[in-house]
Amino acid sequence: MKKEILRINNLSVSPSSVQRLENVTLYILEGDMVGFLGLTYSGKDLMVRILEGDMPEELRSHHIYIGGRRIAGNANMQGAVYRIAASNYMIDDWSVAEYVGLVESGWFQLMWKRRRLEEQVKAFLKELHVELDVSKKMKELSELEKRIVDVAKAKWQGKKLLIVEDEFEGMGPESIRAFAAVMKRLVSRDMGVIINSHSDMVLSLLSEKYVIFKKGRIVKKCRKDYIKNSLHLEKFLLGSGVISKKKGLDSYMLEEQEGEGKPVYRIEGLRMSSGKVQDFNFLKGEIVTFLALDGKVKERFFMVLSGRRAAPYLSCVLGSRMYRAADFSDYVREKIVSVMHMGSEEEVFTGMSAGENLLIPSLRKISSFEYIANSSKIPRMLGEELMQTEIAPESTVENLGVNDIISITLERWYIYNPKVLILFEPFARCDLMGVSIVKSYIKKFANRGTAVIIIKSREEYVEDISDQIISVD
């Protein structure tokens, strides 16, 4: 009989007006791989935060058990839970042995016990049937190997609950499936897994069971194969009004462009990962997606195409003018717009209301260059140029949810009417509704003649809207 890893009994908490959990009861057994599904503020992210140790004081009277032990505080929770996320690998100069064993050894002791630590970690990985060179640096590992090492580290530390909050950037479906198989084998006897990802593909490949949250409650617990299709899932995730709104967004169609599209942006001498140099024409109303598994390559592509990073080896045609080593002002002048952090407050002016964010593009007193390049100065400029001395705090963007910020960001640029829109991983923070919002706006931009360029890791969400999908690797 499988042992119980996690049990939550009738948990209710409401830390804010938009975040709450009501009468949540849940259990996870050893070897379970459970995907959490739900919209933004459905309760799933709050549940994960609590399990990762962000436990409000009032929860200590509730019954949360991990490995059969009642959890009374944050320290107990953190001692039993391990989180896998891309941010884990920011310090990549450690060896595998150091990464796995450093917590217990400490820096000073490690200097004297490095060889012993390597031997211990090597023996531990051999026992787990994980074949890795423990002296190898983390930065030398593949993305798959890094995550396998993370699961091994959780076992080394004696954790009971593994929470996967990772979009698996740099990994294709086959690598994610391989990780799922290894993780399943490693956790089968003494750990449980929760998957909390924005990617439908990641959730599908890693999960065996689903727990679906809606408005702070668990509305369904089931095996993955119980969910027949996306429409079946939407019935649990969305209310009837939201389903109707989503259908409206999804029904927005790409229009046929009359005749051959007119080039609005051409770039010459763009170096691909293989070393091959290529030229690209981006046409009016065309949607082009570049796929790059390597995160650094993907970011370089975005920075170069958007003009955010100088590229002296490139020539480009913006509008009807040829530029060599164009700088950012040239891109701004030609109305080439880019969004790097879709859904983040970095893309909006948080001290302003939603209406003021939308209004800015139409204010002739603020130039295009000032608007795009000097976002941090915009509030001061408004005060000086438009004689606004105060912005109403009750309607500021910082109080809005992710989907609202996505809508404001894209609507603002839609008003601006750019010639080219360049998007970096536009679905990275999106829930089910967010995906529909972004896709409908991409189609709106294309229908009006904007050339849309998307940079991302995988084809997920873009297969049905892209005119071209180009692999950079």
Side-chain angles (χ1 to χ4, degrees), residues 20-40:
R20 69 179 187 276
L21 294 170
E22 295 182 12
N23 300 318
V24 170
T25 295
L26 174 67
Y27 69 89
I28 292 176
L29 302 178
E30 59 185 356
D32 278 354
M33 297 171 63
V34 181
F36 278 10
L37 279 70
L39 301 182
T40 304

PDB file of all heavy atoms in Angstrom, residues 20-40:
ATOM      1  N   ARG A  20      -7.600  33.418  -2.470  1.00  0.00           N
ATOM      2  CA  ARG A  20      -8.221  32.718  -1.347  1.00  0.00           C
ATOM      3  C   ARG A  20      -8.254  31.215  -1.631  1.00  0.00           C
ATOM      4  O   ARG A  20      -8.161  30.766  -2.775  1.00  0.00           O
ATOM      5  CB  ARG A  20      -9.643  33.219  -1.097  1.00  0.00           C
ATOM      6  CG  ARG A  20     -10.655  32.855  -2.168  1.00  0.00           C
ATOM      7  CD  ARG A  20     -12.034  33.385  -1.804  1.00  0.00           C
ATOM      8  NE  ARG A  20     -13.064  32.925  -2.710  1.00  0.00           N
ATOM      9  CZ  ARG A  20     -13.366  33.486  -3.876  1.00  0.00           C
ATOM     10  NH1 ARG A  20     -12.674  34.528  -4.291  1.00  0.00           N
ATOM     11  NH2 ARG A  20     -14.333  32.987  -4.628  1.00  0.00           N
ATOM     12  N   LEU A  21      -8.368  30.460  -0.548  1.00  0.00           N
ATOM     13  CA  LEU A  21      -8.625  29.028  -0.603  1.00  0.00           C
ATOM     14  C   LEU A  21      -9.787  28.736   0.321  1.00  0.00           C
ATOM     15  O   LEU A  21      -9.830  29.250   1.444  1.00  0.00           O
ATOM     16  CB  LEU A  21      -7.383  28.236  -0.174  1.00  0.00           C
ATOM     17  CG  LEU A  21      -6.155  28.322  -1.087  1.00  0.00           C
ATOM     18  CD1 LEU A  21      -4.944  27.700  -0.408  1.00  0.00           C
ATOM     19  CD2 LEU A  21      -6.424  27.636  -2.426  1.00  0.00           C
ATOM     20  N   GLU A  22     -10.709  27.912  -0.140  1.00  0.00           N
ATOM     21  CA  GLU A  22     -11.898  27.596   0.659  1.00  0.00           C
ATOM     22  C   GLU A  22     -12.056  26.086   0.785  1.00  0.00           C
ATOM     23  O   GLU A  22     -12.220  25.384  -0.212  1.00  0.00           O
ATOM     24  CB  GLU A  22     -13.157  28.187   0.022  1.00  0.00           C
ATOM     25  CG  GLU A  22     -13.192  29.703  -0.020  1.00  0.00           C
ATOM     26  CD  GLU A  22     -14.481  30.232  -0.616  1.00  0.00           C
ATOM     27  OE1 GLU A  22     -15.435  29.438  -0.776  1.00  0.00           O
ATOM     28  OE2 GLU A  22     -14.543  31.436  -0.936  1.00  0.00           O
ATOM     29  N   ASN A  23     -11.963  25.611   2.012  1.00  0.00           N
ATOM     30  CA  ASN A  23     -12.234  24.198   2.322  1.00  0.00           C
ATOM     31  C   ASN A  23     -11.470  23.232   1.397  1.00  0.00           C
ATOM     32  O   ASN A  23     -12.035  22.276   0.863  1.00  0.00           O
ATOM     33  CB  ASN A  23     -13.740  23.910   2.222  1.00  0.00           C
ATOM     34  CG  ASN A  23     -14.549  24.752   3.174  1.00  0.00           C
ATOM     35  OD1 ASN A  23     -14.166  24.945   4.335  1.00  0.00           O
ATOM     36  ND2 ASN A  23     -15.664  25.292   2.705  1.00  0.00           N
ATOM     37  N   VAL A  24     -10.183  23.500   1.256  1.00  0.00           N
ATOM     38  CA  VAL A  24      -9.354  22.648   0.394  1.00  0.00           C
ATOM     39  C   VAL A  24      -8.924  21.399   1.147  1.00  0.00           C
ATOM     40  O   VAL A  24      -8.303  21.479   2.208  1.00  0.00           O
ATOM     41  CB  VAL A  24      -8.115  23.415  -0.099  1.00  0.00           C
ATOM     42  CG1 VAL A  24      -7.127  22.465  -0.777  1.00  0.00           C
ATOM     43  CG2 VAL A  24      -8.516  24.530  -1.059  1.00  0.00           C
ATOM     44  N   THR A  25      -9.285  20.259   0.615  1.00  0.00           N
ATOM     45  CA  THR A  25      -8.858  18.967   1.146  1.00  0.00           C
ATOM     46  C   THR A  25      -8.161  18.205   0.028  1.00  0.00           C
ATOM     47  O   THR A  25      -8.696  18.096  -1.079  1.00  0.00           O
ATOM     48  CB  THR A  25     -10.056  18.166   1.674  1.00  0.00           C
ATOM     49  OG1 THR A  25     -10.632  18.854   2.791  1.00  0.00           O
ATOM     50  CG2 THR A  25      -9.625  16.777   2.123  1.00  0.00           C
ATOM     51  N   LEU A  26      -6.964  17.707   0.318  1.00  0.00           N
ATOM     52  CA  LEU A  26      -6.152  17.104  -0.733  1.00  0.00           C
ATOM     53  C   LEU A  26      -5.181  16.120  -0.125  1.00  0.00           C
ATOM     54  O   LEU A  26      -4.680  16.335   0.976  1.00  0.00           O
ATOM     55  CB  LEU A  26      -5.368  18.229  -1.451  1.00  0.00           C
ATOM     56  CG  LEU A  26      -4.327  17.841  -2.503  1.00  0.00           C
ATOM     57  CD1 LEU A  26      -4.998  17.226  -3.714  1.00  0.00           C
ATOM     58  CD2 LEU A  26      -3.511  19.082  -2.906  1.00  0.00           C
ATOM     59  N   TYR A  27      -4.932  15.013  -0.824  1.00  0.00           N
ATOM     60  CA  TYR A  27      -3.855  14.122  -0.411  1.00  0.00           C
ATOM     61  C   TYR A  27      -3.101  13.630  -1.630  1.00  0.00           C
ATOM     62  O   TYR A  27      -3.654  13.488  -2.723  1.00  0.00           O
ATOM     63  CB  TYR A  27      -4.391  12.944   0.416  1.00  0.00           C
ATOM     64  CG  TYR A  27      -5.229  11.947  -0.343  1.00  0.00           C
ATOM     65  CD1 TYR A  27      -4.636  10.852  -0.975  1.00  0.00           C
ATOM     66  CD2 TYR A  27      -6.614  12.093  -0.425  1.00  0.00           C
ATOM     67  CE1 TYR A  27      -5.398   9.935  -1.676  1.00  0.00           C
ATOM     68  CE2 TYR A  27      -7.384  11.184  -1.128  1.00  0.00           C
ATOM     69  CZ  TYR A  27      -6.778  10.109  -1.748  1.00  0.00           C
ATOM     70  OH  TYR A  27      -7.525   9.205  -2.462  1.00  0.00           O
ATOM     71  N   ILE A  28      -1.803  13.427  -1.447  1.00  0.00           N
ATOM     72  CA  ILE A  28      -0.916  12.935  -2.493  1.00  0.00           C
ATOM     73  C   ILE A  28      -0.122  11.768  -1.930  1.00  0.00           C
ATOM     74  O   ILE A  28       0.448  11.859  -0.833  1.00  0.00           O
ATOM     75  CB  ILE A  28       0.034  14.055  -2.980  1.00  0.00           C
ATOM     76  CG1 ILE A  28      -0.766  15.132  -3.726  1.00  0.00           C
ATOM     77  CG2 ILE A  28       1.133  13.497  -3.882  1.00  0.00           C
ATOM     78  CD1 ILE A  28       0.059  16.327  -4.152  1.00  0.00           C
ATOM     79  N   LEU A  29      -0.070  10.663  -2.683  1.00  0.00           N
ATOM     80  CA  LEU A  29       0.631   9.465  -2.244  1.00  0.00           C
ATOM     81  C   LEU A  29       2.022   9.409  -2.871  1.00  0.00           C
ATOM     82  O   LEU A  29       2.320  10.111  -3.843  1.00  0.00           O
ATOM     83  CB  LEU A  29      -0.161   8.222  -2.647  1.00  0.00           C
ATOM     84  CG  LEU A  29      -1.600   8.117  -2.133  1.00  0.00           C
ATOM     85  CD1 LEU A  29      -2.253   6.841  -2.663  1.00  0.00           C
ATOM     86  CD2 LEU A  29      -1.647   8.162  -0.624  1.00  0.00           C
ATOM     87  N   GLU A  30       2.885   8.548  -2.313  1.00  0.00           N
ATOM     88  CA  GLU A  30       4.227   8.409  -2.874  1.00  0.00           C
ATOM     89  C   GLU A  30       4.134   7.951  -4.327  1.00  0.00           C
ATOM     90  O   GLU A  30       3.314   7.088  -4.672  1.00  0.00           O
ATOM     91  CB  GLU A  30       5.041   7.414  -2.046  1.00  0.00           C
ATOM     92  CG  GLU A  30       4.445   6.032  -1.950  1.00  0.00           C
ATOM     93  CD  GLU A  30       5.222   5.115  -1.019  1.00  0.00           C
ATOM     94  OE1 GLU A  30       6.267   5.540  -0.514  1.00  0.00           O
ATOM     95  OE2 GLU A  30       4.764   3.963  -0.808  1.00  0.00           O
ATOM     96  N   GLY A  31       4.959   8.563  -5.139  1.00  0.00           N
ATOM     97  CA  GLY A  31       4.951   8.242  -6.565  1.00  0.00           C
ATOM     98  C   GLY A  31       3.933   9.008  -7.379  1.00  0.00           C
ATOM     99  O   GLY A  31       3.972   8.976  -8.606  1.00  0.00           O
ATOM    100  N   ASP A  32       3.007   9.730  -6.715  1.00  0.00           N
ATOM    101  CA  ASP A  32       2.008  10.511  -7.447  1.00  0.00           C
ATOM    102  C   ASP A  32       2.671  11.703  -8.141  1.00  0.00           C
ATOM    103  O   ASP A  32       3.523  12.388  -7.559  1.00  0.00           O
ATOM    104  CB  ASP A  32       0.929  11.041  -6.499  1.00  0.00           C
ATOM    105  CG  ASP A  32      -0.141  10.006  -6.192  1.00  0.00           C
ATOM    106  OD1 ASP A  32      -0.110   8.919  -6.801  1.00  0.00           O
ATOM    107  OD2 ASP A  32      -1.010  10.284  -5.343  1.00  0.00           O
ATOM    108  N   MET A  33       2.261  11.960  -9.378  1.00  0.00           N
ATOM    109  CA  MET A  33       2.719  13.131 -10.133  1.00  0.00           C
ATOM    110  C   MET A  33       1.464  13.906 -10.524  1.00  0.00           C
ATOM    111  O   MET A  33       0.764  13.540 -11.464  1.00  0.00           O
ATOM    112  CB  MET A  33       3.544  12.700 -11.336  1.00  0.00           C
ATOM    113  CG  MET A  33       4.826  11.969 -10.911  1.00  0.00           C
ATOM    114  SD  MET A  33       5.749  11.181 -12.255  1.00  0.00           S
ATOM    115  CE  MET A  33       6.221  12.573 -13.248  1.00  0.00           C
ATOM    116  N   VAL A  34       1.197  14.964  -9.768  1.00  0.00           N
ATOM    117  CA  VAL A  34      -0.093  15.651  -9.814  1.00  0.00           C
ATOM    118  C   VAL A  34       0.072  17.057 -10.399  1.00  0.00           C
ATOM    119  O   VAL A  34       0.847  17.861  -9.893  1.00  0.00           O
ATOM    120  CB  VAL A  34      -0.711  15.762  -8.404  1.00  0.00           C
ATOM    121  CG1 VAL A  34      -2.066  16.449  -8.465  1.00  0.00           C
ATOM    122  CG2 VAL A  34      -0.835  14.377  -7.774  1.00  0.00           C
ATOM    123  N   GLY A  35      -0.656  17.339 -11.475  1.00  0.00           N
ATOM    124  CA  GLY A  35      -0.638  18.668 -12.073  1.00  0.00           C
ATOM    125  C   GLY A  35      -1.703  19.549 -11.478  1.00  0.00           C
ATOM    126  O   GLY A  35      -2.860  19.131 -11.342  1.00  0.00           O
ATOM    127  N   PHE A  36      -1.335  20.762 -11.077  1.00  0.00           N
ATOM    128  CA  PHE A  36      -2.288  21.765 -10.602  1.00  0.00           C
ATOM    129  C   PHE A  36      -2.730  22.605 -11.796  1.00  0.00           C
ATOM    130  O   PHE A  36      -1.907  23.209 -12.485  1.00  0.00           O
ATOM    131  CB  PHE A  36      -1.655  22.671  -9.547  1.00  0.00           C
ATOM    132  CG  PHE A  36      -1.632  22.098  -8.151  1.00  0.00           C
ATOM    133  CD1 PHE A  36      -1.960  20.778  -7.911  1.00  0.00           C
ATOM    134  CD2 PHE A  36      -1.276  22.899  -7.070  1.00  0.00           C
ATOM    135  CE1 PHE A  36      -1.931  20.248  -6.627  1.00  0.00           C
ATOM    136  CE2 PHE A  36      -1.258  22.394  -5.777  1.00  0.00           C
ATOM    137  CZ  PHE A  36      -1.579  21.067  -5.554  1.00  0.00           C
ATOM    138  N   LEU A  37      -4.035  22.676 -12.026  1.00  0.00           N
ATOM    139  CA  LEU A  37      -4.585  23.459 -13.124  1.00  0.00           C
ATOM    140  C   LEU A  37      -5.515  24.530 -12.566  1.00  0.00           C
ATOM    141  O   LEU A  37      -6.173  24.327 -11.536  1.00  0.00           O
ATOM    142  CB  LEU A  37      -5.374  22.576 -14.102  1.00  0.00           C
ATOM    143  CG  LEU A  37      -4.582  21.777 -15.143  1.00  0.00           C
ATOM    144  CD1 LEU A  37      -3.794  20.656 -14.480  1.00  0.00           C
ATOM    145  CD2 LEU A  37      -5.520  21.196 -16.195  1.00  0.00           C
ATOM    146  N   GLY A  38      -5.570  25.651 -13.257  1.00  0.00           N
ATOM    147  CA  GLY A  38      -6.468  26.723 -12.849  1.00  0.00           C
ATOM    148  C   GLY A  38      -6.031  28.042 -13.449  1.00  0.00           C
ATOM    149  O   GLY A  38      -4.887  28.205 -13.876  1.00  0.00           O
ATOM    150  N   LEU A  39      -6.944  28.995 -13.500  1.00  0.00           N
ATOM    151  CA  LEU A  39      -6.631  30.324 -13.995  1.00  0.00           C
ATOM    152  C   LEU A  39      -5.821  31.090 -12.958  1.00  0.00           C
ATOM    153  O   LEU A  39      -5.646  30.644 -11.823  1.00  0.00           O
ATOM    154  CB  LEU A  39      -7.924  31.086 -14.309  1.00  0.00           C
ATOM    155  CG  LEU A  39      -8.872  30.468 -15.342  1.00  0.00           C
ATOM    156  CD1 LEU A  39     -10.062  31.395 -15.559  1.00  0.00           C
ATOM    157  CD2 LEU A  39      -8.164  30.197 -16.654  1.00  0.00           C
ATOM    158  N   THR A  40      -5.356  32.274 -13.338  1.00  0.00           N
ATOM    159  CA  THR A  40      -4.716  33.167 -12.384  1.00  0.00           C
ATOM    160  C   THR A  40      -5.710  33.473 -11.262  1.00  0.00           C
ATOM    161  O   THR A  40      -6.883  33.741 -11.516  1.00  0.00           O
ATOM    162  CB  THR A  40      -4.300  34.481 -13.082  1.00  0.00           C
ATOM    163  OG1 THR A  40      -3.468  34.165 -14.198  1.00  0.00           O
ATOM    164  CG2 THR A  40      -3.547  35.393 -12.136  1.00  0.00           C
TER     165      THR A  40
END
